[in-house]
Amino acid sequence: MFAEHLGNYILYPFFLGGGPYYLIGRALGPEVGVSIGLCFFLGNAVAGALYVLGAVETFLDAVPSAGFFKESVTVVNNTLVNGTATAGTATISTPSLHDLQLYGVIVTILLCFIVFGGVKIINKVAPAFLIPVLFSLFCIFIGIFVAPRKNASSGITGLSITTFKDNWASDYQRTTNAGVPDPNGPIYWDFNALVGLFFPAVTGIMAGSNRSASLKDTQRSIPIGTLSATLTTSFLYLISVLLFGALATREELLTDRLLTASVAWPVPAIIYVGIILSTLGAALQSLTGAPRLLAAIANDDILPVLKYFKVAEGGEPHLATFFTAFICIGCVVIGNLDLITPTVTMFFLLCYAGVNLSCFLLDLLDAPSWRPRWKFHHWSLSLIGALLCIVIMFLISWSFTVVSLALASLIYYYVSIKGKAGDWGDGFKSAYFQLALRSLRSLGANQVHPKNWYPIPLIFCRPWGKLPENVPCHPKLADFANCMKKKGRGMSIFVSILDGDYHELAEDAKSACRQLSTYIDYKRCEGVAEIIVAPSMSDGFRGIVQTMGLGNLKPNIVVMRYPEIWRRENLTQIPSTFVSIINDCIIANKAVVIVKGLDEWPGEYQRQYGTIDLYWIVKDGGLMLLLSQLLLTKESFESCKIQVFCIAEEDTEAEELKADVRKFLYDLRMQAEVIVVTMKSWEAHMESGAQQDDSLEAFTSAQQRISAYLADMKETARREGRPLMADGKPVVVNEQQVEKFLYTTLKLNSTILRYSRMAAVVLVSLPPPPLNHPAYFYMEYMDLLVENVPRMLIVRGYRRDVVTLFT
């Protein structure tokens, strides 16, 4: 105890800053910092009770008549006389538990009154505790060397090599709850238990960092002061153990709880005063420091429940002091030092493990901002220190260790759920960043195997139509982005394009990006937000599709809503933009998913029934199959069944095709019903002259609009004396081919309406825009394809497989 407080005074008086909490929190993140910081606060509060009980017990030992409740314990001593074991008894007066409780509560309250006086008063009182500590240490060592050998009958032999040899071997014994040796005592002491009992005596070495706010030069004082305190106290403890082991018999060491007073020069009263003042000073330090630590945690505003303990700059943490005093008094009521010390030990060891782990992480990562002035360090030493702390915790008591770790874990979980986000540039984020860079480099630019393929959708937030100003992304697009992830794993990139000049709209883009990021978090989507400023949507998307992402972490699927409003609102620029985006995706080898009926897309808890119908027309690498399987993993679609429709011409062997598809799906472990649908080819339709009844009105309307548009093109070309032009490019229109495309989309739409009118969602292959056809024509084909289908995903894969048999 003396050595510990000497180490405290080597550093500096009194705890004003966040201490290790700041170091741990800024290195390991707010969640870890708050969880360990609160445990450290509890450790300091409980340590206050430990010191109070130590002072009271010393006082009652020195003045037994001050006790209201008298207690004595009979001790049985086994000795050897002429080779024969003999038993002797001795009666020892010991402080009563009720006296410890009564005096302990009174002393705690008196110390709290001093604490309420403020740090200035405490700083004035602090030097008064240092002089008795130094003088008591001096008296103890003088007494050890002048202890007379003639007192051997009382157990004090004076410094003797024989006594040293007799005490060298271990001989663990049982004691009462008060620590008095008793063969029938309930507590058995071994090495691990004694470590737990002794450890609180060495917690003073962190006093320098605890009081960081009051140090003039923290970067210089903390390492020098901490190392000086460690070396000094370690030397004093080691010398004390060796000297006392050679000074008195084992029985005397066990039964005389204040042997230091018995041997002190010139009178024992000096030691009693020194112990009482040093322990009261330590208790005062704990009652001063713990509230300030709690206030520091509260002021960081990470945990809303701690808002009542906030303190203005320069203010006193009165409410936190009340709370600390309440905890301290509760522990004092327990009245047993040996029960309290393991609790203090666990909390302090947890804090020291956090400090070591912080240094290990920062040194190992070696970020550019890590520039410590103290050069004599290495990450391996910090790691060893952290592991030793954990090992010692389990050695002392696995039950206390489990409880303390569980408490820290519960606080961590609570902070992660209820706490506010705090960006402290902690080491874990740096570790994540370096791990991401290393993983990215290891992935390289090689093609990812289908077993390891994940969809990374690029979500077009607002490509068509208008949304309220405070809604940066269509809500259903965010829901659909989550439908493309299995168990929430994966990443989405949400993109909006602002039309205009970047120099003029740069600040608007930053503001929109923050708003979009907030909205993504609100919708619980794992993704990032990007805002691009470009002269037009086509130019902006072309830049995105070329540059977005790194290596294999580039978006591989472009997701956008179908522009259903273009004809209703006469948005004539949409067809060319829509076709340009699809062509850019094809050139960049990106898959495309276009959502028709986005406003009717089900929410997370809107359960759907029926079927998910796939119209598998062209080879797409299995993307359509994979999307259907991902939909089934969501609660809203888990009651649905999958149907795969294979479109074939009339002369195709339908049963053979059906068997092949079934075998393929079986090998992929996908359950789906296979249906083969035959259609007449365009040539057969022309020869038979058969008319299509289903959707005939939409087909006829599309023909008329295309004819009128083509006539206008021809008239403009004739009037201006140039070839046919559309979307600023020359085109060659084959009217028979246009008719063929219209017929094909009409037949597919009719088939979908015949078989899938009640389907929960329909997936169909996206036809690529035909070469040399105006964008307006392609929009007419697409409108005819989606006519009267309430909810459809139009999918185009890319030149690679996304499913495999070998998983």
Side-chain angles (χ1 to χ4, degrees), residues 29-48:
E31 295 89 354
V32 179
V34 171
S35 58
I36 295 182
L38 287 177
C39 289
F40 193 46
F41 158 75
L42 290 175
N44 276 279
V46 176

Side-chain angles (χ1 to χ4, degrees), residues 272-291:
Y272 289 124
V273 173
I275 293 177
I276 292 172
L277 288 178
S278 64
T279 49
L280 288 179
L284 190 62
Q285 173 184 299
S286 295
L287 291 174
T288 305

Side-chain angles (χ1 to χ4, degrees), residues 520-533:
I520 293 170
D521 293 337
Y522 165 73
K523 294 294 289 184
R524 292 183 297 177
C525 294
E526 288 190 358
V528 296
E530 294 288 348
I531 303 295
I532 304 298
V533 180

Side-chain angles (χ1 to χ4, degrees), residues 384-397:
I384 292 172
L387 293 176
L388 279 177
C389 290
I390 302 299
V391 169
I392 293 173
M393 288 175 69
F394 279 100
L395 282 178
I396 293 171
S397 172

Side-chain angles (χ1 to χ4, degrees), residues 569-583:
E569 299 187 13
N570 195 30
L571 300 176
T572 56
Q573 79 280 7
I574 284 183
S576 60
T577 303
F578 184 71
V579 172
S580 173
I581 290 174
I582 294 176
N583 283 328

Side-chain angles (χ1 to χ4, degrees), residues 492-504:
S492 303
I493 301 175
F494 291 79
V495 173
S496 278
I497 298 175
L498 300 181
D499 294 343
D501 182 76
Y502 177 68
H503 290 169
E504 297 176 358

